[in-house]
Amino acid sequence: MIYIITGPSGVGKNTIINELSNHLDFYFSVSHTTRPRRENEVNGKDYYFITEEEFENLIKNDQMIEYEQYGDFYYGTSKEELSNNSSIIILDLEVNGATKLLEENNNFKGIFIDIDDYELINRLKNRGHDADFIKKRMKLANLQREKKELYQYNVDNEDIKTSVRSEEHTSELQSPCNLVCR
Ligand code: 5GP
């Protein structure tokens, strides 16, 4: 089963996926991006960091199942990533790409993560963003929330301890939804 996790920037998608990895066996779909690698990131694990020319070649050769421009960079999922044998594959995508992919594949499951505005503004501030950037991201977040209804699961990530219910960790767990979805 393929699960697409999405939500406005800053809601904690990464934290949820990291926490899920403590309780569940799954393959994390590694995206391609033209964004420069951050210091703590590993090529091939967090992303495949490639040039714009390489990204355009992947598109030209029909190797991408979806891609989007987000901020100044391209992000996309290759068809090869989704051909992994794992019974659970998890994707972390921004809302446009996630929604398109979900609409095109009705056997995929969509999980939309969100938090309230006050908390989202605080998290963006803590990431060191300025007021102007935060204003733009909040405007975008409100547009992204319009897609929420299209997702099978909506998760409020107010507190990671309650978002991912570790007490329900059992070997029979079949789905990330047992952990994150109400
Ligand atoms: P960041 O630069 O912070 O790692 O990611 C920026 C945004 O790009 C995040 O919202 C993340 O979910 C999204 N993203 C990462 N990989 C992909 C991808 O393959 N396709 C799409 N559409 N979005 C992605």
Side-chain angles (χ1 to χ4, degrees):
M1 178 61 75
I2 295 180
Y3 293 88
I4 304 174
I5 296 192
T6 196
S9 180
V11 296
K13 285 175 286 171
N14 279 337
T15 318
I16 287 203
I17 292 171
N18 280 336
E19 182 61 20
L20 278 174
S21 69
N22 295 326
H23 309 287
L24 194 67
D25 238 359
F26 62 87
Y27 178 73
F28 176 70
S29 162
V30 182
S31 298
H32 288 74
T33 184
T34 59
R35 164 169 80 58
R37 189 176 66 81
R38 295 177 188 139
E39 214 177 291
N40 56 336
E41 290 178 325
V42 178
N43 188 31
K45 179 174 173 276
D46 298 290
Y47 284 106
Y48 299 109
F49 296 95
I50 59 173
T51 63
E52 232 173 86
E53 194 185 342
E54 288 169 325
F55 202 100
E56 277 156 16
N57 276 332
L58 288 173
I59 300 169
K60 215 173 351 177
N61 297 329
D62 197 27
Q63 287 174 267
M64 302 304 260
I65 190 156
E66 66 80 34
Y67 65 91
E68 288 291 323
Q69 192 170 2
Y70 184 77
D72 294 332
F73 307 109
Y74 284 106
Y75 294 83
T77 307
S78 70
K79 292 179 179 171
E80 195 182 341
E81 281 301 295
L82 299 195
S83 67
N84 187 280
N85 279 333
S86 177
S87 60
I88 299 176
I89 301 180
I90 294 185
L91 283 72
D92 167 357
L93 310 184
E94 53 65 59
V95 179
N96 278 343
T99 307
K100 276 188 216 157
L101 197 58
L102 194 61
E103 285 176 330
E104 286 163 10
N105 297 278
N106 50 22
N107 54 332
F108 292 5
K109 296 265 184 277
I111 303 175
F112 194 104
I113 317 276
D114 205 358
I115 48 176
D116 68 36
D117 278 1
Y118 178 79
E119 185 62 27
L120 185 53
I121 290 169
N122 271 339
R123 291 191 197 179
L124 292 171
K125 268 189 197 157
N126 291 339
R127 285 184 177 182
H129 295 303
D130 63 31
D132 194 40
F133 181 91
I134 292 175
K135 203 171 149 195
K136 281 189 196 134
R137 275 294 156 88
M138 294 308 294
K139 200 171 157 196
L140 180 62
N142 284 326
L143 285 174
Q144 293 171 323
R145 284 169 176 151
E146 289 174 11
K147 308 282 184 201
K148 224 173 176 170
E149 302 310 313
L150 300 169
Y151 286 74
Q152 285 90 345
Y153 304 100
N154 280 199
V155 178
D156 177 356
N157 187 30
E158 214 62 56
D159 179 356
I160 187 69
K161 291 195 197 74
T162 51
S163 303
V164 178
R165 290 173 300 196
S166 53
E167 76 275 12
E168 292 191 19
H169 170 53
T170 69
S171 54
E172 314 83 71
L173 263 186
Q174 296 296 320
S175 138
C177 294
N178 294 356
L179 288 162
V180 299
C181 306
R182 307 284 129 94

